[in-house]
Amino acid sequence: MIGIDAAGLVIPHLARQMISLHAQRTDVATHLESMLETHPLYSVLTSMPGVAVRTAAIIIAETSGKTFASATALSSYAGLAPTTQQSGTSIKSERVIHSGNKCLKRALFLSAFAPIRFHPVSQAYYDQKRDQDKRHDQAVIAFVHRSLTVLFTMIRDRFIYGVPAVEAA
């Protein structure tokens, strides 16, 4: 009987705390989104299919203060550049390295699933990789690497996805 009474006291208290935490989380997310909307790269990043507020925030946070000479350098930083596994004269395979910025890599990987399903150009690229006998995860990683290359160019030239650079300026 004591356990039931204790549960009757504790559960409502925990429910009030959970509601309070949810409200705080919503306030922080709203504040972060309003801060992000003022960033100069926000409209460039969110124009890319699959990149929404959270992914844009992670890209900005993980790459701010860093300069990349090329898309390959950015891909390598994110851990998405393919590397050749080689010993002497034998080349074993090309694979994606397990190092790199895991937060950025995960955000880009997860943001790839929507365009692969709903964006025709992305679907075509994914299907092309699958037709080349790539496994699903290999095709997704190839798509993410390609998307990151496009994002690098968009950031460097400050143009919106799907709009020619001449019109965007």
Side-chain angles (χ1 to χ4, degrees):
M1 193 70 174
I2 294 175
I4 294 173
D5 292 339
L9 294 172
V10 172
I11 290 175
H13 179 68
L14 289 175
R16 283 191 298 274
Q17 283 185 330
M18 290 297 291
I19 291 170
S20 173
L21 288 174
H22 182 68
Q24 288 175 3
R25 181 177 181 232
T26 303
D27 290 344
V28 168
T30 304
H31 181 67
L32 179 64
E33 188 172 339
S34 66
M35 283 176 36
L36 188 62
E37 288 174 354
T38 62
H39 194 279
L41 292 177
Y42 176 76
S43 60
V44 172
L45 291 172
T46 56
S47 69
M48 180 81 167
V51 177
V53 176
R54 286 184 183 179
T55 306
I58 291 170
I59 291 170
I60 290 169
E62 296 298 327
T63 60
S64 66
K66 296 169 183 62
T67 55
F68 300 100
S70 65
T72 305
L74 177 58
S75 293
S76 181
Y77 172 75
L80 292 166
T83 59
T84 303
Q85 187 177 6
Q86 183 173 337
S87 175
T89 58
S90 64
I91 298 174
K92 295 181 181 169
S93 66
E94 281 203 1
R95 61 189 186 97
V96 174
I97 55 177
H98 292 287
S99 61
N101 187 316
K102 296 197 185 323
C103 185
L104 180 59
K105 185 177 184 177
R106 182 175 187 272
L108 293 169
F109 185 81
L110 292 175
S111 71
F113 291 107
I116 285 173
R117 291 184 65 203
F118 302 111
H119 188 253
V121 175
S122 302
Q123 284 176 335
Y125 185 80
Y126 173 80
D127 292 339
Q128 175 189 355
K129 290 299 174 184
R130 292 290 288 174
D131 291 341
Q132 294 173 359
D133 293 329
K134 302 270 188 207
R135 294 188 317 267
H136 166 72
D137 57 338
Q138 290 174 321
V140 171
I141 289 172
F143 172 75
V144 171
H145 181 263
R146 178 175 174 258
S147 297
L148 191 57
T149 303
V150 172
L151 268 174
F152 174 80
T153 306
M154 289 170 54
I155 291 168
R156 183 191 64 202
D157 300 341
R158 306 285 173 139
F159 73 88
I160 306 296
Y161 183 85
V163 178
V166 179
E167 292 177 25

